[in-house]
Amino acid sequence: MADRTNPSSHTQQRPIYNSTTVPRSNNTTTNHPLSSLLRQLLQSQSPNHSGQLFGFLAFFISGGILLLLTGITVTASVLGFIAFLPLIIITSPIWIPLFLIVTGFLSLAGSIFATGAVVSWLYRYFKGMHPLGSDQVDYARSRIHDTAAHVKDYAGGYFHGTLKDAAPGA
């Protein structure tokens, strides 16, 4: 007979030999960090944790809804593609040239727009209207000018023999 004064003596279970199941203990504490975090959030009664709990619940519910909607969207897209695949294959002599014409038009329009934007910026820059980024261009131009002047002074002295050779005997 089990000792009734020791509560742990009647909660222990002995393993059953030749069995694939492992008996579970009545102790429900686990060491998983997520379960301990959720347990702390659920057991706390302070008002600041109730906002966190509501936030977690809203996050999980909205995440589940979005995941469900994503699955429905992907499923409908795949089924629609399968249903319309014969029509797509039959009309492919129309779609391929149409695709090439549309992509060609869009790339040409994009190139013309980019060229117009560059020409407009250059016009405003040379007219002195200070378009966006002109101060960076001026800074880069002054740095290039200073570097070129330094190289010119160094090279001029080197070619005219005013600088001493670093290794005179070489």
Side-chain angles (χ1 to χ4, degrees):
M1 182 157 92
D3 184 16
R4 296 198 186 262
T5 59
N6 188 359
S8 65
S9 66
H10 62 67
T11 58
Q12 284 184 335
Q13 295 179 354
R14 297 185 184 265
I16 301 171
Y17 294 107
N18 294 331
S19 173
T20 58
T21 60
V22 176
R24 293 190 62 152
S25 137
N26 288 339
N27 188 4
T28 59
T29 60
T30 59
N31 291 333
H32 196 273
L34 185 61
S35 65
S36 64
L37 174 69
L38 289 175
R39 188 177 311 107
Q40 287 177 355
L41 288 174
L42 291 173
Q43 289 176 352
S44 69
Q45 299 296 325
S46 62
N48 60 357
H49 289 297
S50 65
Q52 285 181 343
L53 178 64
F54 181 73
F56 278 127
L57 289 176
F59 173 73
F60 287 126
I61 290 171
S62 61
I65 290 171
L66 289 175
L67 190 63
L68 177 72
L69 290 174
T70 302
I72 290 171
T73 303
V74 168
T75 304
S77 299
V78 168
L79 290 176
F81 182 72
I82 290 172
F84 287 107
L85 188 61
L87 183 65
I88 293 171
I89 290 174
I90 290 172
T91 60
S92 65
I94 297 170
W95 292 109
I96 293 173
L98 184 65
F99 173 77
L100 293 175
I101 289 171
V102 168
T103 54
F105 173 74
L106 289 177
S107 62
L108 180 67
S111 298
I112 290 172
F113 178 77
T115 303
V118 168
V119 167
S120 170
W121 189 91
L122 286 173
Y123 175 76
R124 288 185 286 148
Y125 178 75
F126 287 121
K127 284 293 190 177
M129 296 181 197
H130 299 291
L132 187 65
S134 63
D135 53 345
Q136 294 172 341
V137 171
D138 291 337
Y139 176 73
R141 185 175 52 172
S142 68
R143 288 288 306 264
I144 291 170
H145 181 266
D146 292 342
T147 304
H150 177 70
V151 169
K152 179 185 169 194
D153 292 342
Y154 181 78
Y158 181 75
F159 286 122
H160 289 81
T162 57
L163 290 178
K164 296 203 178 220
D165 198 7

